[in-house]
Amino acid sequence: MTGTDEHTAVTPPVSVLGLGEMGGALASAFLGGGHPTTVWNRTAAKADPWVAKGARQASDVREAVRSGELVVVSVQGNETARELLETAGDALAGRAVLNLTDGTSQEVRAVATWAAERGAAYLHGQIMTIAPGVGSPEAVVFYGGSRTLYDRYAAALRLIGGRGTLLGADAGVPTLYGMAVHGTMWGALNGFLHAAALLSDEGVPVADFLDRANPSLTALLGLFPLLAGEIDSGAYATEYGALSAHRPSVADLVRECAARGVDTTFPRYTLDLVEQAIDAGHGGDSYSRLVEHFRGR
Ligand SMILES: NC(=O)c1ccc[n+]([C@@H]2O[C@H](COP(=O)([O-])OP(=O)(O)OC[C@H]3O[C@@H](n4cnc5c(N)ncnc54)[C@H](OP(=O)(O)O)[C@@H]3O)[C@@H](O)[C@H]2O)c1
C-alpha cells in the first residue's frame, strides 16, 4: 500500500500470522491461489505442513510483515493480534493489514485505530464460515475498513470466500453483522430444540414434524423483511397480526410444558415479554415492538 506500488501484482505476496484452524485454511487458500505466501506462528513447528506446500516461514512477525504486501492476521483475540503486530515496529508502515480475528466492535476498532496511527491500511473481516468452508464461492465474509485495500486485493479476498462484501469504512461493523447472524441462529436453535423436547416428550419423531411443518417454518423467514421495515422506521404496524394475538398461544405453550414437566423457562420468557408490552399499551402493535425491550430503553 505504499505510494510507489501503483500497480498491484496479480498475486501479491501475502503473509499469514497465525496458523490455527482458520489461519491454516487461509494460508492454504493463498498458496492455492498462487500467492507467494509467508507464514508465522507462535508455535513454529506448526508451520511445517505449509512450508511443505511451498510457504516461506518467517522467523518473527517483523520478518513476516516485511515479506507480505498483504498481512493477514488470524489468532485468538484482538489484544493478541495487536500485540503481535506491535512487534513488527516500523515495518508496519505502508503495509495492508487484513485482520480476521474475531472480537467485539470496540476491540476491533481499537486495533484499526492503532494500525492507522502506524501508517498501515486496515481492513477487518468477519468470516461467516468454518475453516473447511474457506475458499467456497458461497462463503460470506463481512468487511469494514479501507476501500482502497478492499479493491486492491479483491482477487485475494475472493480466495477467502466468494461472497465478500464491504460494509463501509468502520472496521467495527462487520463484527456486529456476525453477531446478528449468530444471535438469530441461537434464538432459532433454542426455539427448535425446545419444540423438539416437547414433541419427543409425546414420542413424536422430530423428523416427521419437520416433514409436515416445513412450509410454516420456512414462511417465518419471509417475516423478517416486514419486521426489518417496521424496526427501521419505528412504525410498529399490525399488518400480520397484533402482539396481543400471540398471548393465548404462548400461554398455551407454557401450560402444555408445565403439565409435562418440559422446561418452561424459554416460553415463560416470551410470555413475560409479550405481557409487559401489552400492559404498557402496545397490544395492538406488531411483534416487532419487542425490539424496544431488547434495546433496553
Ligand atoms: N476455526 C474456525 O472455523 C473459525 C471460523 C470463523 C472465525 N474464526 C476465527 O478465527 C480466529 C482464529 O481461530 P482458529 O480457529 O484458527 O483458532 P485456533 O485453532 O485455536 O488457533 C489459534 C491461533 O492463535 C494463536 N495464538 C493464540 N494466542 C496467541 C498468543 N498469545 N500469541 C501468538 N499467537 C497466539 C495460536 O498460536 P499457537 O499455534 O502457537 O497456539 C494459533 O495460531 C478466531 O478469531 C476465530 O474466532 C475461526
Side-chain angles (χ1 to χ4, degrees), residues 188 191-192 195 206 209-224:
F192 175 65
V206 181
F209 158 76
L210 266 192
D211 277 349
R212 291 165 176 82
N214 209 26
S216 304
L217 295 175
T218 331
L220 275 177
L221 280 179
L223 272 182
F224 284 8

Side-chain angles (χ1 to χ4, degrees), residues 19-22 41-43 46 75-76 80 102 129-131:
L19 289 173
E21 201 183 353
M22 180 51 80
N41 194 60
R42 176 180 62 176
T43 310
K46 285 195 192 167
V75 291
Q76 285 295 353
T80 297
D102 290 352
T129 181
I130 54 172

Side-chain angles (χ1 to χ4, degrees), residues 20-269:
E21 201 183 353
M22 180 51 80
L26 295 165
S28 296
F30 293 126
L31 281 167
H35 290 265
T37 303
T38 300
V39 294
W40 177 88
N41 194 60
R42 176 180 62 176
T43 310
K46 285 195 192 167
D48 291 350
W50 287 273
V51 172
K53 283 197 250 180
R56 177 172 171 269
Q57 184 172 11
S59 56
D60 57 27
V61 171
R62 185 176 169 82
E63 186 191 329
V65 168
R66 290 171 79 104
S67 307
E69 208 182 286
L70 178 64
V71 178
V72 177
V73 190
S74 175
V75 291
Q76 285 295 353
N78 279 278
E79 188 56 28
T80 297
R82 194 194 56 72
E83 283 171 8
L84 288 181
L85 290 170
E86 190 139 44
T87 64
D90 60 5
L92 210 56
R95 285 293 184 256
V97 173
L98 170 60
N99 184 11
L100 298 167
T101 304
D102 290 352
T104 67
S105 61
Q106 295 86 352
E107 291 161 357
V108 167
R109 284 185 185 124
V111 182
T113 303
W114 177 90
E117 286 167 0
R118 275 141 194 89
Y122 185 88
L123 189 67
H124 188 86
Q126 178 71 43
I127 300 177
M128 300 305 294
T129 181
I130 54 172
V134 166
S136 158
E138 297 306 317
V140 171
V141 188
F142 300 122
Y143 292 103
S146 163
R147 172 168 284 285
T148 308
L149 192 163
Y150 179 81
D151 289 341
R152 188 171 290 186
Y153 299 103
L157 299 187
R158 275 196 295 278
L159 294 171
I160 302 173
R163 295 199 170 191
T165 174
L166 180 67
L167 303 174
D170 188 334
V173 175
T175 66
L176 295 176
Y177 269 60
M179 286 175 190
V181 171
H182 291 143
T184 304
M185 174 187 78
W186 290 316
L189 287 178
N190 288 342
F192 175 65
L193 294 180
H194 185 269
L198 180 61
L199 291 165
S200 47
D201 185 68
E202 180 67 23
V204 175
V206 181
D208 286 359
F209 158 76
L210 266 192
D211 277 349
R212 291 165 176 82
N214 209 26
S216 304
L217 295 175
T218 331
L220 275 177
L221 280 179
L223 272 182
F224 284 8
L226 178 67
L227 297 180
E230 292 168 0
I231 293 163
D232 287 343
S233 66
Y236 304 110
T238 55
E239 279 183 45
Y240 73 96
L243 194 49
S244 58
H246 289 263
R247 177 160 53 182
S249 310
V250 188
D252 284 349
L253 178 58
V254 171
R255 288 187 298 113
E256 182 75 40
C257 292
R260 291 172 176 273
V262 170
D263 185 70
T264 57
T265 314
F266 194 49
R268 260 190 208 289
Y269 174 66

